[in-house]
Amino acid sequence: MDARISKGRRMRDGMTKGLLYASSLMVCLILLFIIGYIFARGVPGITAELLSTQSSYVRDTIGILPNILNTLYIVLVAMAVVIPLGVCAAVYLNEYAVSKRLVRLIGFAVETLAGIPSVIFGLVGMLLFIQMLGLQAGILAGGFTLVVMVLPTILSNTLESLKTVPDSYREGALALGSGKWYMIRTVVLPNAIEGIVTGCILAVGRIVGESAALLYTAGFGLVLHSFMTALQSSSATLTVALYVYATERGQIGVAFSVATVLLAITLLLNVAANISASKLNRKEKVR
Amino acid sequence: MNTFEVVDLNLWYGSNQALRDVRIDIPANRVTALIGPSGCGKSTFLRTLNRMNDLISTVRIEGSVLFNGRDIYAPATDAAELRKHVGMVFQKANPFPMSIYDNIAYGPRVHGMRRKSELDTVVEDSLRRAALWDEVSDRLKKSALSLSGGQQQRLCIARALAVHPEVLLLDESTSALDPISTGQIEELVGELKKDYTVVMVTHNMQQAVRVSDHAAFFLLGNLVEFAPTDKLFNNPDDPKTADYVSGRFG
């Protein structure tokens, strides 16, 4: 009797385990297939010329250097605006705001904002930054649009990590006669830095991978510009360039090469994120 | 000489009254113990002395608390400035996740001390006063979180002393510690009263007897009796005090 129960249970256990195993195997296989396929089709097309020149109709060559730079520029512009904005807003909401209703309302708004499809941010960005404020489609208008898009990521990550800082730290600092801002600067923010950095890296990831929000705001330009010029001239990032090469020019091979570069950048970002997170973590404990 | 003169102090958390018409004069350079059952208002009262209750948005206070003759609830009083003079050590040791050195130097830095030589002196002096110097002098750069519970609490005392307060408030500061660490802190408190006014909340009656000069018994937000510790424990005026100190309730 006993033996039979345990046998049935063992079978059920085994089946569950097998199912779980199969799921995780499936996930791994899909991931490996995507990465492998992109690399297999993209790597052969990657040449020094592709990475270091701009496309030329005259010489009939293709180069994605402008798009690599544009991606970098737009990350810089968007992050330079969104980090101070998001972190300050989160600090206000968590440390200063008295009205809990206001905080809840803003939290709800942020969640809603996070769920909106990015193409809508693109439309709003176009109307707001280009038509109303009169900017040219370019890195600036695109960057601002991305600010609106990734603000929820930065804000909610910062907010969550501020909440993990124990109140006893705040009390300890205030009891020593510290002012509120000094307390936030020296005790609260340093202990929330990990979450803030994580939020930033997620945001950069989204920016690098974004295309829909940039179609109408940053433009399709494939010409090499300096940073200052690119701010106000049509500049395609890597993802937009991928779209252009794949659909408008039918250069599927180039599109795969761009995808490979994108994948490599994303990989690099994730590695950097892990390293910086563990470094910060260690510093925290040794300090 | 009284450090604090409290007149008709009433305190509400929302609609819930936690302190009722408290009148007490806390003498300078003495140890005053606040005793009473849980929820009697003794910790709340302690926190009115350095305005830590300000942090709770629902708190409403009436009456006056004079610190060296100045009303600390007057609009002109700066709470941060007050807390520089009235230091506090909490129930649970709360060192910052920084080095031992930076923990002690935190307060002096708040108040503008930047020179390394000055900071070094304050750090050593404060750690010596808190009887911790010998144990940590060779690892000042190590994280304060690496210390034992008792050492962390003495670190918090040293941190409070580093801003040169006149008063030290101890909020059940030994309740989470083992008997040896508790003994060390009690001994320390006895030393400190030469230079500081100490007000301590304690649940431990023996501790109140061992350490304090005066004791105040709180019950349901009222100050029932305030007297020299000997008298309060051996010959109290109020029968409720007698019941409590003899262990009949609470």
Side-chain angles (χ1 to χ4, degrees):
Chain A
M1 187 74 183
D2 270 348
R4 222 183 319 154
I5 288 173
S6 78
K7 199 177 167 192
R9 190 185 287 163
R10 225 181 299 139
M11 243 175 74
R12 266 202 311 280
D13 269 1
M15 269 166 64
T16 319
K17 205 171 145 192
L19 216 67
L20 294 174
Y21 180 77
S23 310
S24 66
L25 190 72
M26 191 76 175
V27 170
C28 289
L29 283 178
I30 292 172
L31 278 175
L32 279 176
F33 172 74
I34 294 174
I35 294 175
Y37 188 70
I38 291 175
F39 271 99
R41 296 211 42 185
V43 169
I46 294 183
T47 57
E49 187 189 68
L50 183 81
L51 296 177
S52 64
T53 62
Q54 59 176 320
S55 295
S56 161
Y57 283 105
V58 180
R59 280 181 282 122
D60 195 24
T61 57
I62 286 177
I64 58 167
L65 178 65
N67 314 109
I68 296 175
L69 289 177
N70 289 338
T71 305
L72 196 72
Y73 294 159
I74 213 158
V75 167
L76 278 177
V77 168
M79 294 311 282
V81 179
V82 80
I83 293 175
L85 194 64
V87 171
C88 290
V91 166
Y92 176 78
L93 289 176
N94 199 57
E95 308 291 328
Y96 288 94
V98 182
S99 161
K100 293 281 167 281
R101 269 184 63 192
L102 176 81
V103 174
R104 268 208 305 278
L105 196 75
I106 292 181
F108 182 71
V110 164
E111 274 169 38
T112 313
L113 210 59
I116 294 176
S118 59
V119 67
I120 294 175
F121 284 107
L123 272 171
V124 172
M126 180 176 70
L127 289 174
L128 184 68
F129 298 118
I130 295 176
Q131 301 204 340
M132 278 177 65
L133 297 182
L135 293 176
Q136 296 293 317
I139 297 295
L140 211 52
F144 287 166
T145 306
L146 292 180
V147 165
V148 183
M149 194 183 82
V150 300
L151 190 58
T153 311
I154 302 276
L155 188 72
S156 56
N157 270 283
T158 308
L159 212 49
E160 285 312 309
S161 58
L162 287 176
K163 281 183 192 152
T164 63
V165 178
D167 273 340
S168 66
Y169 292 176
R170 295 184 178 86
E171 284 189 333
L174 293 176
L176 290 168
S178 161
K180 192 155 184 174
W181 173 237
Y182 188 89
M183 176 267 289
I184 291 169
R185 205 155 49 82
T186 54
V187 178
V188 178
L189 283 178
N191 283 294
I193 193 74
E194 235 179 289
I196 298 174
V197 171
T198 309
C200 289
I201 285 157
L202 286 173
V204 170
R206 277 198 75 186
I207 292 173
V208 169
E210 185 52 48
S211 54
L214 295 175
L215 293 177
Y216 310 119
T217 53
F220 296 89
L222 299 176
V223 183
L224 189 63
H225 291 302
S226 72
F227 177 68
M228 292 314 283
T229 321
L231 288 179
Q232 285 276 53
S233 14
S234 176
S235 307
T237 61
L238 279 169
T239 42
V240 175
L242 191 153
Y243 168 80
V244 171
Y245 285 117
T247 57
E248 291 183 0
R249 304 175 86 172
Q251 308 258 23
I252 299 295
V254 177
F256 269 107
S257 296
V258 174
T260 308
V261 173
L262 269 170
L263 207 63
I265 291 177
T266 316
L267 207 72
L268 223 68
L269 269 175
N270 276 328
V271 172
N274 280 329
I275 291 174
S276 72
S278 69
K279 258 214 178 108
L280 283 169
N281 217 348
R282 206 171 324 129
K283 204 170 146 208
E284 195 77 359
K285 273 164 196 141
V286 174
R287 240 189 339 159
Chain B
M1 230 333 247
N2 294 321
T3 300
F4 288 104
E5 291 171 10
V6 179
V7 185
D8 296 337
L9 185 70
N10 285 285
L11 183 145
W12 291 265
Y13 292 116
S15 59
N16 183 12
Q17 187 164 8
L19 292 176
R20 294 164 196 274
D21 297 323
V22 174
R23 278 172 164 270
I24 186 171
D25 292 338
I26 294 176
N29 294 94
R30 294 282 181 279
V31 178
T32 301
L34 310 178
I35 61 169
S38 298
C40 69
K42 57 194 188 303
S43 278
T44 299
F45 174 72
L46 190 77
R47 284 162 169 261
T48 60
L49 299 180
N50 67 344
R51 288 186 53 176
M52 284 307 275
N53 285 322
D54 288 14
L55 306 183
I56 304 163
S57 59
T58 56
V59 161
R60 190 161 58 83
I61 291 172
E62 281 175 10
S64 62
V65 178
L66 303 184
F67 170 57
N68 291 336
R70 279 181 51 214
D71 185 357
I72 64 172
Y73 286 96
T77 305
D78 177 8
E81 181 64 23
L82 169 74
R83 292 179 194 134
K84 185 184 168 187
H85 299 288
V86 185
M88 186 166 207
V89 179
F90 297 85
Q91 179 170 8
K92 225 174 136 260
N94 59 348
F96 303 131
M98 314 168 176
S99 70
I100 294 169
Y101 184 96
D102 287 336
N103 261 280
I104 309 293
Y106 188 89
R109 281 176 175 148
V110 165
H111 301 290
M113 192 182 286
R114 288 286 175 273
R115 288 249 303 278
K116 179 143 192 332
S117 56
E118 280 180 296
L119 286 169
D120 287 350
T121 316
V122 172
V123 168
E124 177 172 349
D125 182 55
S126 307
L127 285 169
R128 281 191 191 283
R129 278 168 182 267
L132 194 58
W133 176 254
D134 294 336
E135 292 162 60
V136 302
S137 60
D138 57 340
R139 48 175 172 149
L140 293 175
K141 294 290 169 203
K142 287 266 168 62
S143 168
L145 302 180
S146 67
L147 298 175
S148 74
Q151 287 173 325
Q152 287 191 9
Q153 197 58 293
R154 276 181 286 148
L155 179 83
C156 291
I157 294 178
R159 188 174 67 181
L161 297 180
V163 294
H164 301 304
E166 291 168 50
V167 183
L168 204 56
L169 308 177
L170 305 176
D171 189 1
E172 291 184 49
S173 301
T174 61
S175 64
L177 300 180
D178 63 274
I180 292 172
S181 305
T182 301
Q184 285 169 332
I185 287 180
E186 286 179 6
E187 200 181 318
L188 183 59
V189 168
E191 288 286 312
L192 291 174
K193 74 176 177 186
K194 284 181 219 146
D195 301 311
Y196 305 90
T197 302
V198 179
V199 186
M200 60 189 297
V201 165
T202 179
H203 264 131
N204 180 335
M205 309 266 220
Q206 282 75 40
Q207 182 172 67
V209 174
R210 280 192 301 264
V211 182
S212 68
D213 304 300
H214 292 79
F217 172 56
F218 282 80
L219 189 62
L220 302 172
N222 295 295
L223 173 62
V224 176
E225 189 166 353
F226 177 54
T229 304
D230 266 355
K231 179 172 185 324
L232 192 106
F233 278 88
N234 296 320
N235 187 20
D237 291 332
D238 195 298
K240 283 186 292 231
T241 314
D243 285 352
Y244 184 72
V245 298
S246 61
R248 247 166 280 174
F249 75 94

